């Protein structure tokens, strides 16, 4: 891929900023923002290649360098003397992270019955369930608390906070019941789910979570690590998608709008010698889509989820990174200018599972690739990482929270007081701190330390579990006397007075 300078784009380089103040420099009227220079340790120099549909996305400056530093993971004997003297690679594609620009369509405008009609009576307000009528009456009286409830929101990590794999953390169920309206106001307190988990279409993941948590989760509340990467479909025609179970990540990429999707099995089916240690089954070959990859270029590599076969995936990725512009069977004369971009959906080193200690995640896979690339070429690997704690992920979360507020309260605004609840100080907490959110660290996942994390302390506190964190945050905003339970007998006139009166009405 050719290298460019800032002058080619007619923009002036600007240093990166973290938190909300950095958002003022992000594009506002269809013009892309300036990108920081390589003198800054947190920025690259250039944007991703422009596509035909870029008006549908926005570029967020990266908050960490897209230049890998594999030196700490390498032994000096792995570099020849000539390689040690070569310059570090220049970032030519990863200085900014595109995310979808447009807000999601409001669900209010799409609620219909099977016959295509809407609930309602001519000239009258929509029919509400009796519980909603009672709640609205309470909310009219408690206007101060209602305003505070609408001016706060929760952002939940999932694994290690609400669930362990497919197993519910008990306090997670009650937490969501409270936020979904089982409280003294009967009000829904805005909340979304922001996870570095990946590997499935969002719809399939929320169906699974809804069953585990025994609470409804809507697509408009949910962000996986690769959800913002849908914006990249506007930039690249042919992509290699890596990670996940079976072909689920191919399904994700198709849903995002990528046009020509290749997965490692397609390449192995075309040439099994590319993965000499792989036992490629007849079933895998039958479900793959082999092509002659020596006659086509792959434009970019997208690591959507954790690899299920490190040996095969690393071999194919290294072949592509060292090829001429993404054509297998070639070897680039210049490993910098002819290298294709590689994107990772998140950078977590560890992930909590049902195992007694957290397991390695996508971050360790990335570090392995960076070290291999440095050893073979003498150059640092240029790469782009999405997910928490990247600024782009939090900016996208703002979009989703605002849209969800419009859905549940008909107010398209971003609440002022946002609480991030997570178990991983290196992603959930540091990202929330940098973005100006209130951060709550729980002890049900990665973090098992003392009073707080030494390197990335939660600014609102450390809690035994998610329920304790949410109750403390709600009381902080709505008052220490707030009741976390809805009681019909307190507000329903049919349930007040003597029992005989109530029975007579029924």
């Amino acid at each position: 891929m050719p290298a460019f300078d800032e002058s080619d784009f007619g923009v002036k380089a600007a240093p990166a900023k973290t938190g909300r103040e950095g958002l003022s420099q992000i594009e506002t009227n269809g013009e892309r923002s300036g990108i920081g220079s390589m003198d800054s340790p947190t920025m690259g120099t250039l944007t991703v290649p422009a596509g035909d549909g870029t008006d549908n996305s926005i570029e967020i400056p990266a908050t960490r360098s897209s230049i890998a530093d594999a030196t700490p993971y390498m032994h000096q004997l792995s570099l020849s003397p000539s390689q040690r003297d070569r310059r570090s690679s220049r970032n030519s594609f990863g200085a900014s992270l595109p995310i979808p620009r447009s807000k999601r369509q409001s669900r209010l405008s799409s609620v219909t019955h099977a016959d295509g009609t809407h609930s309602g009576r001519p000239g009258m307000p929509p029919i509400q369930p009796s519980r909603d009528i009672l709640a609205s009456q309470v909310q009219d009286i408690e206007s101060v608390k209602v305003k505070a409830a609408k001016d706060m929101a929760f952002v939940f990590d999932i694994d290690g906070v609400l669930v362990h794999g497919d197993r519910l953390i008990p306090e997670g169920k009650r937490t969501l019941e409270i936020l979904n309206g089982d409280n003294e106001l009967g009000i829904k307190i805005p909340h979304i789910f922001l996870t570095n988990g990946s590997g499935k279409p969002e719809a399939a993941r929320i169906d699974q979570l809804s069953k585990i948590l025994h609470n409804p989760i809507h697509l408009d509340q949910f962000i996986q690590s690769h959800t913002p990467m849908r914006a990249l479909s506007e930039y690249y025609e042919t992509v290699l998608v890596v990670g996940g179970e079976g072909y689920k990540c191919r399904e994700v990429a198709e849903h995002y709008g990528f046009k020509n999707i290749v997965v490692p099995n397609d390449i192995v089916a075309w040439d099994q010698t590319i993965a000499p240690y792989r036992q490629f089954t007849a079933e895998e070959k039958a479900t793959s889509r082999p092509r002659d990859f020596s006659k086509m270029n792959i434009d970019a590599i997208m690591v959507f989820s954790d690899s299920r076969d490190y040996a095969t995936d690393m071999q194919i990725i290294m072949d592509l990174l060292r090829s001429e512009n993404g054509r297998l069977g070639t070897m680039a004369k210049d490993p910098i200018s002819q290298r294709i971009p590689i994107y990772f959906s998140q950078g977590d080193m560890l992930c909590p599972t049902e195992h007694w200690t957290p397991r390695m995640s996508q971050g360790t896979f990335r570090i392995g690739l960076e070290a291999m690339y440095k050893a073979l070429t003498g150059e640092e690997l240029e790469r782009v990482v999405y997910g928490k704690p990247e600024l782009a992920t939090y900016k996208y979360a703002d979009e989703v929270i605002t849209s969800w507020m419009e859905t549940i309260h008909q107010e398209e605004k971003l609440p002022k007081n946002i609480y991030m609840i997570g178990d991983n100080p290196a992603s959930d907490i540091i990202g929330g701190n940098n973005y100006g959110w209130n951060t709550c660290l729980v002890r049900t996942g990665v973090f098992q330390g003392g009073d707080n994390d030494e390197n990335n302390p939660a600014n609102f506190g450390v809690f035994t579990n998610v329920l304790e964190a949410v109750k403390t945050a709600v009381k902080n905003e709505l008052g220490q006397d707030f009741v976390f339970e809805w009681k019909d007998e307190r507000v329903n006139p049919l349930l007040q007075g003597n029992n005989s009166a109530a029975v007579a009405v029924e």
Side-chain angles (χ1 to χ4, degrees), residues 95-160:
S96 58
L97 283 67
I99 63 172
R101 173 192 294 274
S102 58
K103 288 184 172 62
R104 305 181 185 193
Q105 181 182 358
S106 169
R107 297 177 65 251
L108 294 175
S109 62
S110 60
V111 177
T112 59
H113 295 287
D115 60 1
T117 61
H118 295 264
S119 295
R121 296 164 289 174
M124 297 291 288
I127 299 173
Q128 293 179 288
S130 59
R131 169 70 174 272
D132 290 347
I133 295 174
L134 294 172
S136 67
Q137 292 173 348
V138 172
Q139 292 166 24
D140 287 341
I141 298 172
E142 298 284 357
S143 59
V144 174
K145 285 185 178 180
V146 168
K147 182 179 179 181
K150 292 181 179 179
D151 217 13
M152 71 179 303
F154 289 93
V155 179
F156 293 103
D157 180 41
I158 296 176
D159 293 305

Side-chain angles (χ1 to χ4, degrees), residues 156-442:
F156 293 103
D157 180 41
I158 296 176
D159 293 305
V161 175
L162 299 170
V163 300
H164 283 141
D166 292 335
R167 180 169 56 86
L168 171 70
I169 294 175
E171 293 80 9
K173 176 177 180 292
R174 180 62 193 143
T175 296
L176 297 186
E177 288 172 349
I178 291 171
L179 299 183
N180 283 328
D182 190 9
N183 54 66
E184 68 171 72
L185 298 176
I187 194 170
K188 292 183 178 180
I189 298 176
H191 59 282
I192 68 167
F193 305 87
L194 179 62
T195 175
N196 272 356
S198 56
K200 292 182 179 180
E202 283 79 3
R205 181 72 166 137
I206 63 171
D207 286 346
Q208 177 189 24
L209 280 172
S210 296
K211 293 175 182 177
I212 296 173
L213 293 166
H214 305 285
N215 275 272
I217 298 175
H218 298 283
L219 187 63
D220 295 355
Q221 292 176 279
F222 188 71
I223 305 173
Q224 294 189 100
S225 63
H226 48 58
T227 304
M229 293 174 70
R230 68 173 67 237
L232 295 172
S233 64
E234 302 175 357
Y235 295 87
Y236 302 108
E237 182 77 20
T238 302
V239 296
L240 174 71
V241 173
V242 177
E245 300 175 5
Y247 296 104
K248 290 180 181 178
C249 282
R250 190 205 296 272
E251 182 183 347
V252 172
E254 289 172 345
H255 178 69
Y256 288 173
F258 287 97
K259 299 177 179 63
N260 191 8
I261 302 159
V262 179
V263 299
N265 272 9
D266 300 338
I267 296 173
V268 177
W270 165 66
D271 180 5
Q272 294 189 33
T273 65
I274 204 167
Y277 310 115
R278 172 75 177 272
Q279 297 296 319
F280 199 58
T281 67
E283 181 182 359
E284 289 174 323
K285 186 172 183 178
T287 56
S288 63
R289 303 175 186 175
R291 284 150 277 179
D292 188 349
F293 292 103
S294 67
K295 296 181 180 179
M296 61 182 288
N297 288 11
I298 291 175
D299 300 321
I301 302 167
M302 310 282 175
V303 183
F304 269 18
S305 187
D306 293 346
S307 169
R308 266 55 174 182
D309 184 352
Y310 270 43
T312 299
D313 292 347
M314 283 182 163
Q315 185 67 70
I316 291 173
I317 289 173
M318 291 302 299
D319 285 349
L320 284 171
L321 290 174
R322 294 186 296 153
S323 69
E324 290 185 350
N325 302 312
R327 179 161 296 195
L328 289 169
T330 66
M331 186 67 68
K333 299 178 179 65
D334 182 350
I336 299 174
S337 65
Q338 294 181 306
R339 181 176 54 211
I340 63 173
I342 180 169
Y343 295 85
F344 295 86
S345 71
Q346 54 99 348
D348 284 353
M349 304 284 285
L350 298 173
C351 177
T353 68
E354 294 186 7
H355 193 67
W356 71 273
T357 185
R359 302 287 81 193
M360 292 187 295
S361 188
Q362 200 179 127
T364 55
F365 179 78
R366 188 195 78 246
I367 287 173
L369 285 171
E370 291 169 355
M372 290 179 196
Y373 188 84
K374 180 70 176 286
L376 292 173
T377 68
E379 301 292 342
E380 298 287 358
L381 176 62
E382 301 165 1
R383 77 289 186 276
V384 178
V385 184
Y386 278 77
K388 295 174 293 185
E390 184 55 51
L391 173 63
T393 296
Y394 290 82
K395 171 59 180 173
Y396 186 61
D398 274 353
E399 297 279 334
V400 174
I401 295 171
T402 302
S403 179
W404 187 242
M405 272 289 295
E406 196 272 338
T407 298
I408 63 173
H409 292 309
Q410 296 79 55
E411 298 180 20
E412 190 172 348
K413 71 170 188 177
L414 182 67
K416 292 180 182 179
N417 305 304
I418 298 179
Y419 291 81
M420 173 79 222
I421 301 182
D423 68 301
N424 191 337
S427 59
D428 304 321
I429 303 306
I430 188 175
N433 287 344
N434 288 342
Y435 202 55
W437 287 351
N438 303 299
T439 51
C440 307
L441 184 58
V442 296

